[in-house]
Amino acid sequence: IDECANSNGGCNHQCVNTDGSFYCECNSDGYQLQDDLTCVDVDECSTDVCDQNCANTVGSFICGCNAGFELDSDGQTCNDIDECVMDNGGCNYVCNNEMGTFSCSCTTGYDLQPDGITCTDINECNSNNGGCNQTCINEDGSYRCTCEFGYTKDGFYGCSDSNECSTLNGFCQHTCNNNVGSYTCSCETGYTTSDIYACLDIDECASGNGGCEETCINAEGTYSCSCGVGFAVFNFHECEDIDECASGNGNCSQICDNTKGSFQCSCGVGYEQDSTFNCKEIDECANSNGGCNHQCVNTDGSFYCECNSDGYQLQD
């Protein structure tokens, strides 16, 4: 007898006739026989059929995934979505993929903003001048230290004095004086600065004749005083008379008389000058017999009278 021919054998899904009997079976794996005739829905979600989320349906089920995951082609497994693949996850700089999510981070020198995406530059100079010894200059994503004029970099942060005098004497014509952070040029005695670097001779004679009593002679970097003939420089500025008579009697043969700025030779009694320096003896007898009425006897520098014979005597 084919029991299935009469009211499907009482089965609500399929009736399978067998030799001398029959049985019922369900249309799919999503159903199970509750008794020998009735098929009821199987709740697949009561088992770990889905990787994450499971939604039971009549005769079947649907798997779903949490945010940050996507369903695999097997319909059950959930795979992580790499959000960083598309447009860097919207991150300004670095996108870090994580299981089911992602995060943004910034490179050194930048700070992540509250929106979790945007990076803005960190101004390192706002904190302790960036550690710089002198000037801190902020740059996009970084910063640098610089030094003021007269200093050179010493490592990343430090500054040390530049010795400008060590190179070409600081372009100074005379003396280069190094100072901390600077330098100055100075001139030797007798010079004055004509600009920052050059030196110009001081004409000491232009002011008060250089203090000289007579003639002031300017020279490069110095000056000197000189005196007229017959005078010698004394105490650099003064002139004092030269006593020509003190040396070799002024070359005078007899009397040397010193005068201010000069001298003159003269002769003693009985002598007369025959040149500037020399004296010659005067022959008094040659002029009116020396005033003698008999004989006149000339001597060196003088004369005397004598009588012709013993029969006479000098009255005066």
Side-chain angles (χ1 to χ4, degrees):
I1 297 170
D2 184 3
E3 293 85 357
C4 296
N6 183 17
S7 300
N8 198 39
C11 299
N12 70 339
H13 277 199
Q14 296 181 35
C15 179
V16 179
N17 186 53
T18 62
D19 189 15
S21 185
F22 75 98
Y23 63 89
C24 297
E25 64 179 15
C26 300
N27 291 335
S28 67
D29 293 337
Y31 294 89
Q32 64 181 0
L33 282 171
Q34 189 176 26
D35 51 29
D36 290 338
L37 300 174
T38 306
C39 289
V40 295
D41 176 56
V42 175
D43 185 2
E44 295 87 353
C45 295
S46 62
T47 62
D48 294 331
V49 64
C50 292
D51 201 9
Q52 291 182 356
N53 301 320
C54 182
N56 187 57
T57 61
V58 177
S60 186
F61 66 96
I62 299 173
C63 292
C65 299
N66 297 329
F69 294 87
E70 59 184 359
L71 196 62
D72 193 79
S73 58
D74 65 7
Q76 293 176 293
T77 306
C78 290
N79 298 320
D80 174 58
I81 297 173
D82 187 354
E83 295 86 354
C84 297
V85 170
M86 183 69 70
D87 194 30
N88 199 40
C91 297
N92 206 179
Y93 277 86
V94 181
C95 181
N96 308 292
N97 186 56
E98 300 169 2
M99 188 59 65
T101 186
F102 73 101
S103 64
C104 298
S105 61
C106 304
T107 55
T108 303
Y110 294 89
D111 202 14
L112 189 66
Q113 295 304 292
D115 63 8
I117 295 175
T118 307
C119 293
T120 58
D121 173 59
I122 298 172
N123 189 343
E124 295 86 353
C125 298
N126 286 338
S127 176
N128 194 32
N129 199 40
C132 298
N133 190 216
Q134 291 187 357
T135 304
C136 181
I137 299 175
N138 187 57
E139 296 178 342
D140 193 20
S142 183
Y143 73 105
R144 58 190 172 92
C145 299
T146 61
C147 300
E148 298 167 4
F149 179 80
Y151 293 85
T152 55
K153 284 295 295 299
D154 186 4
F156 184 82
Y157 303 101
C159 295
S160 58
D161 173 56
S162 296
N163 187 353
E164 296 86 353
C165 298
S166 64
T167 303
L168 298 176
N169 198 40
F171 299 101
C172 298
Q173 185 177 349
H174 285 184
T175 305
C176 182
N177 310 290
N178 186 56
N179 304 315
V180 178
S182 180
Y183 76 103
T184 58
C185 296
S186 61
C187 299
E188 297 169 2
T189 303
Y191 293 86
T192 184
T193 53
S194 62
D195 56 31
I196 297 175
Y197 309 104
C199 293
L200 186 68
D201 173 58
I202 298 173
D203 185 358
E204 294 86 354
C205 299
S207 176
N209 197 40
C212 298
E213 184 177 343
E214 292 190 9
T215 305
C216 181
I217 302 170
N218 186 57
E220 189 70 22
T222 185
Y223 74 104
S224 62
C225 297
S226 66
C227 302
V229 176
F231 292 88
V233 176
F234 173 70
N235 287 338
F236 192 83
H237 297 99
E238 301 173 23
C239 291
E240 66 175 359
D241 175 57
I242 298 172
D243 185 358
E244 296 86 353
C245 298
S247 176
N249 199 40
N251 291 325
C252 295
S253 61
Q254 291 190 4
I255 301 170
C256 180
D257 297 309
N258 186 56
T259 61
K260 190 172 183 178
S262 185
F263 73 101
Q264 71 180 60
C265 297
S266 61
C267 301
V269 176
Y271 293 86
E272 62 181 0
Q273 285 185 292
D274 67 349
S275 66
T276 302
F277 302 103
N278 294 321
C279 293
K280 68 177 181 178
E281 197 264 330
I282 299 173
D283 185 1
E284 294 86 354
C285 298
N287 183 18
S288 299
N289 198 40
C292 299
N293 66 343
H294 279 198
Q295 295 181 37
C296 178
V297 179
N298 186 55
T299 62
D300 189 17
S302 184
F303 73 101
Y304 62 88
C305 297
E306 64 180 16
C307 299
N308 291 331
S309 66
D310 292 339
Y312 295 89
Q313 63 178 9
L314 282 173
Q315 189 177 16
D316 48 26

